[in-house]
Amino acid sequence: MMTPHDHADTTPFLTQADDVDEVNIAAPPPRVLGEDGDDDPDTRDVHSLTGISYRRSVTIVGILFYINLLNYMDRFTVAGVLPDLEEAFHIKDGSSGLIQTVFICSYMVLAPVFGYLGDRLNRKYIICIGISFWSVITFCSSFIPNKHFHLFLLTRGLVGVGEASYSTIAPTIIADLFVADQRTRMLSVFYFAIPVGCGLGYIAGSKVAIAANRNWHWALRVTPGLGLIAVLLLVFFVKEPPRGAVERKSDQPLSATPWLADVKALLKNRSFMLVTLGFTTVAFVTGALALWAPMFLWRARKVLFKMEPHQDNNEDSLIFGLVTVVTGILGVGAGVEISKRYRKVNPRADPIVCACGMLFSAPFLYLSLVFADTSLVATYVFIFIGETLLSLNWAIVADMVLYVVIPTRRSTAEALQIMVSHLLGDAGSPYLIGVISDRISKEQSETSLLKLRSLEYALMMCTFVGALGGGFFLASALFIEKDRKQAEMVSEGIVSEVEGIEDRIVVPKRGGSTRVPVSSVLV
């Protein structure tokens, strides 16, 4: 029969234990950076381990940020011109949602492939090949005639190849350049690209389409050229860091384990799986809102101001893009700072902050939907608050995944999280919202108010999914400390992964506590 300790560590849920080392395990040998993550003069020792200077490391993060920005710009340029696409291809909401779903499905299926390669081959060159392929395919998709919608869907699916090669690998490079709070800060910089890129995608798509007399083809020609610049930056300025060098405390490097062993270990890692399920709900909500929010706001404007169908429909894409940029910057930055400060009194700060962000965002997103036909200003205010709270978790989730997983399987972990979160999240949510909207308005005269109402009721699903995500993050808080300590000790060479920490007991050592194998004290 399993004891409660088999299921969770015993650190108090909302407060720091009086002596965490005695409750769980003793503190490992001193870190290169302090345990609180404060900046330390010994930071130079971290970069001597990688052979990459601090300035070069920061430059690499800047280049990865730029590429991540382009990825999300391209992804949401389509959302910025969605009304134009519906008009050009003569499609309804269900088919519009399929555009995003096809892309996400391709991205999701290929992520494990690139995760496997990223843990074993040179990550820099994998990213270069992926970004080059993505740029060429995106540019080619901009020449598809309006009568070939299925060909357009095919090219959007192929774009997922490039993004899968990048998103699974880039965070692991940052993890091998920095430790402790510096890693969290650099990850926050990297993930600033998500909301900023989304917002710029809406803005670029809508503005370029307007400048080109509402020709959506030109909107897709912005990012490919910038993508080729990104490849040149990767080739000439990015250096591949050794895996796990900044965390390893012994001379023997970590070696990669078989892929199936990696997957089995990740499936047994309760913190990783619960955080992944929590992030799946984030993907579901953000994927649905990203595609449908500009369309919903445009329909609300038509109802409130009696707009004619032919009037300009790009204004709300522009405004929503600006809101997304600002809320993303505020949310990601606030999430990192709140978590950092709260961690001083509670080691479970990261999952709790993520849970609060999800739980508190749900009612504001709900209010933004129900106020749409009454006040557009109130709708934008509620969207602003809801998106800010939703953005709290981007960098924190990435940091949690990296510190509960050993360095040699981090690309596989990123890939598995991408596959699960997109399979159950934004691979289906845009299409599902569109289908529900079509079903609600089916066999009724399509007035502007009915179109608004049908999309409003469909989007309400997001508020319930968001609240569910808060529950997953709260559950992960039960296991996060134990799994972090286990990954940290394996990475530093204190214990082997096979040995783990379950079979270790506490014995006195210089007035404190430590963990040693049972066999070493059975004399």
Side-chain angles (χ1 to χ4, degrees):
M1 182 175 180
M2 300 182 73
T3 65
H5 183 73
D6 292 324
H7 295 284
D9 63 85
T10 55
T11 307
F13 191 74
L14 293 175
T15 57
Q16 172 75 36
D18 292 333
D19 190 346
V20 174
D21 293 339
E22 290 185 4
V23 174
N24 295 294
I25 62 174
R31 299 171 62 92
V32 178
L33 289 180
E35 189 67 28
D36 353 313
D38 292 336
D39 290 338
D40 192 288
D42 290 338
T43 300
R44 291 168 297 186
D45 295 337
V46 173
H47 300 289
S48 68
L49 292 172
T50 64
I52 303 173
S53 68
Y54 177 79
R55 181 176 298 179
R56 181 80 173 269
S57 299
V58 172
T59 301
I60 291 172
V61 173
I63 293 171
L64 296 178
F65 165 85
Y66 170 70
I67 301 172
N68 208 25
L69 190 76
L70 292 183
N71 279 339
Y72 280 88
M73 273 187 67
D74 173 76
R75 189 184 300 188
F76 293 100
T77 296
V78 172
V81 294
L82 189 60
D84 295 327
L85 288 173
E86 286 197 348
E87 183 179 339
F89 288 119
H90 303 290
I91 56 178
K92 300 185 72 174
D93 288 351
S95 296
S96 297
L98 198 59
I99 295 173
Q100 191 78 341
T101 295
V102 167
F103 161 77
I104 293 297
C105 286
S106 168
Y107 175 48
M108 169 192 70
V109 169
L110 291 166
V113 176
F114 288 105
Y116 174 87
L117 297 175
D119 281 332
R120 291 159 178 81
L121 303 179
N122 187 292
R123 293 170 287 187
K124 168 181 169 179
Y125 295 126
I126 295 173
I127 294 175
C128 286
I129 294 170
I131 297 300
S132 300
F133 183 81
W134 159 75
S135 299
V136 171
I137 293 297
T138 301
F139 184 70
C140 291
S141 70
S142 70
F143 292 95
I144 295 175
N146 291 345
K147 60 182 179 179
H148 294 297
F149 177 65
H150 290 91
L151 183 58
F152 182 73
L153 286 179
L154 174 63
T155 58
R156 293 310 296 172
L158 292 175
V159 167
V161 177
E163 291 212 25
S165 70
Y166 175 75
S167 298
T168 56
I169 296 173
T172 69
I173 294 177
I174 297 174
D176 287 333
L177 293 171
F178 300 94
V179 295
D181 271 5
Q182 279 204 342
R183 175 188 291 169
T184 306
R185 292 191 192 104
M186 293 303 168
L187 285 171
S188 69
V189 170
F190 177 75
Y191 283 104
F192 274 135
I194 295 178
V196 175
C198 293
L200 291 178
Y202 294 125
I203 295 167
S206 59
K207 282 298 182 183
V208 172
I210 291 172
N213 294 321
R214 296 185 63 187
N215 186 339
W216 63 268
H217 297 84
W218 284 98
L220 297 181
R221 295 169 188 168
V222 176
T223 53
L226 299 175
L228 295 179
I229 294 174
V231 173
L232 295 177
L233 292 174
L234 282 166
V235 171
F236 293 107
F237 295 101
V238 173
K239 182 178 179 181
E240 171 84 353
R243 292 177 178 86
V246 296
E247 295 159 297
R248 193 70 176 166
K249 298 300 180 183
S250 68
D251 295 332
Q252 184 178 0
L254 287 169
S255 57
T257 49
W259 184 78
L260 284 177
D262 289 343
V263 173
K264 289 179 181 178
L266 290 171
L267 293 176
K268 293 178 181 178
N269 188 323
R270 289 164 291 194
S271 297
F272 170 75
M273 292 306 300
L274 287 167
V275 167
T276 296
L277 291 174
F279 189 68
T280 298
T281 65
V282 177
F284 185 98
V285 175
T286 55
L289 292 178
L291 186 71
W292 290 113
M295 175 72 82
F296 176 75
L297 292 166
W298 176 56
R299 291 181 180 180
R301 187 179 296 276
K302 287 175 66 177
V303 170
L304 286 169
F305 302 106
K306 312 298 181 186
M307 290 172 54
E308 296 297 327
H310 65 272
Q311 286 184 257
D312 177 49
N313 53 24
N314 296 109
E315 181 179 351
D316 289 296
S317 292
L318 176 61
I319 297 173
F320 184 73
L322 293 172
V323 169
T324 301
V325 170
V326 176
T327 57
I329 293 173
L330 290 176
V332 173
V336 169
E337 285 304 310
I338 293 170
S339 180
K340 175 186 174 182
R341 296 176 188 277
Y342 187 31
R343 201 181 300 133
K344 294 178 180 179
V345 297
N346 187 356
R348 293 186 168 98
D350 289 346
I352 291 174
V353 171
C354 290
C356 290
M358 295 299 291
L359 292 172
F360 294 150
S361 68
F364 287 104
L365 293 176
Y366 175 81
L367 291 172
S368 71
L369 296 173
V370 299
F371 272 86
D373 62 343
T374 304
S375 171
L376 207 56
V377 173
T379 297
Y380 272 112
V381 169
F382 290 130
I383 287 177
F384 187 94
I385 299 173
E387 283 206 327
T388 301
L389 292 168
L390 201 60
S391 299
L392 291 179
N393 59 56
W394 284 107
I396 302 175
V397 166
D399 199 22
M400 285 192 287
V401 169
L402 293 172
Y403 67 58
V404 299
V405 175
I406 63 173
T408 53
R409 63 172 60 114
R410 283 173 177 164
S411 289
T412 300
E414 292 285 343
L416 183 59
Q417 185 180 77
I418 286 172
M419 186 180 71
V420 173
S421 62
H422 291 308
L423 176 65
L424 303 177
D426 55 350
S429 64
Y431 179 65
L432 181 61
I433 297 299
V435 169
I436 293 174
S437 176
D438 284 344
R439 188 63 59 90
I440 292 172
S441 61
K442 188 178 181 181
E443 297 178 357
Q444 300 183 54
S445 56
E446 289 196 347
T447 64
S448 295
L449 181 60
L450 177 62
K451 286 184 177 182
L452 174 66
R453 284 278 183 262
S454 61
L455 192 52
E456 174 189 332
Y457 296 150
L459 285 170
M460 282 184 179
M461 179 184 295
C462 295
T463 62
F464 298 101
V465 173
L468 178 64
F472 284 126
F473 282 121
L474 285 176
S476 70
L478 296 172
F479 310 102
I480 198 78
E481 267 298 277
K482 177 183 172 184
D483 291 336
R484 182 187 68 81
K485 290 286 187 181
Q486 170 114 9
E488 187 177 82
M489 293 182 73
V490 173
S491 299
E492 293 177 353
I494 298 173
V495 299
S496 68
E497 188 174 24
V498 175
E499 180 184 30
I501 62 175
E502 290 297 328
D503 61 341
R504 304 167 82 84
I505 63 173
V506 179
V507 297
K509 183 180 179 181
R510 296 181 183 178
S513 64
T514 187
R515 295 273 177 172
V516 298
V518 174
S519 58
S520 67
V521 295
L522 294 179
V523 181

